[in-house]
Amino acid sequence: MNLAIVILAAGKGTRMESDLAKVLHPLCEKPLVHWVLEAVAPLQPQRTVAVVGHQAEIVKQQIGAKFPAVEYALQSEMLGTGHAVQQVEPLLRDFSGDIIVMCGDAPLVQTNTLKELIQKRRASGASASMMVAEADNPGSYGRVIVEDGGRVSQIVEAKDATPEQ
């Protein structure tokens, strides 16, 4: 399987009311981003790129200590998730295969879930797939509006969502 992983690890973590980079907050004595990297490692990606920004050098040091093969793209201005992904383009411009974009602060994703995501995307013939979750009370999370048949029709920020969304 020709696979590249992109880990979004540039955020400040302002909602956590902490100066520590969001992905470095510990969970069971391990930085959040380490949980994500451990989940993707069994997929044996050809390339793994972490997008760093806030406290970039500290984040790179923490990642590199356990995952030395990880490459880095710098998001020098915090202009959102889409902009963060754009920072990887020069590194993966000539890559041919599947690319999974992961949030570096999402420690509960399982390897088998990612394998299933890849399999379903390939089976569907879709150019891209998005893994979403349903929550009874999504709070401040954005909403991914999915049509019958599983196609994403729009993504809505929580502040702009209607009660139905």
Side-chain angles (χ1 to χ4, degrees):
M1 165 179 4
N2 208 15
L3 177 67
I5 304 291
V6 174
I7 307 288
L8 303 178
K12 291 182 179 180
T14 51
R15 288 186 209 153
M16 295 177 167
E17 298 180 8
S18 169
D19 291 331
L20 186 64
K22 180 170 34 175
V23 298
L24 297 183
H25 280 85
L27 175 65
C28 297
E29 301 179 14
K30 198 173 356 181
L32 294 174
V33 69
H34 282 197
W35 291 97
V36 177
L37 286 160
E38 287 174 0
V40 301
L43 300 174
Q44 299 179 326
Q46 283 66 48
R47 309 271 303 268
T48 301
V49 180
V51 180
V52 296
H54 180 66
Q55 298 182 344
E57 291 307 313
I58 297 168
V59 173
K60 286 164 63 173
Q61 180 183 32
Q62 288 291 313
I63 291 173
K66 187 165 182 188
F67 304 93
V70 172
E71 302 169 69
Y72 301 95
L74 178 64
Q75 183 185 24
S76 54
E77 291 184 84
M78 300 296 138
L79 299 176
T81 304
H83 180 260
V85 174
Q86 287 176 332
Q87 306 317 296
V88 178
E89 194 272 337
L91 292 171
L92 296 180
R93 178 178 293 136
D94 297 324
F95 182 81
S96 178
D98 290 300
I99 300 173
I100 295 179
V101 178
M102 302 281 300
C103 294
D105 64 341
L108 302 180
V109 175
Q110 300 292 307
T111 305
N112 285 339
T113 304
L114 297 172
K115 286 180 183 176
E116 192 173 321
L117 175 68
I118 294 167
Q119 291 168 349
K120 285 186 177 189
R121 197 236 19 107
R122 287 180 175 169
S124 74
S127 297
S129 294
M130 177 185 289
M131 186 168 36
V132 299
E134 291 184 27
D136 290 335
N137 181 9
S140 64
Y141 287 110
R143 312 303 195 262
V144 177
I145 310 303
V146 180
E147 299 173 353
D148 290 336
R151 292 179 94 56
V152 173
S153 63
Q154 69 184 119
I155 300 172
V156 181
E157 293 290 333
K159 64 182 173 53
D160 300 324
T162 66
E164 295 78 28
Q165 294 172 324

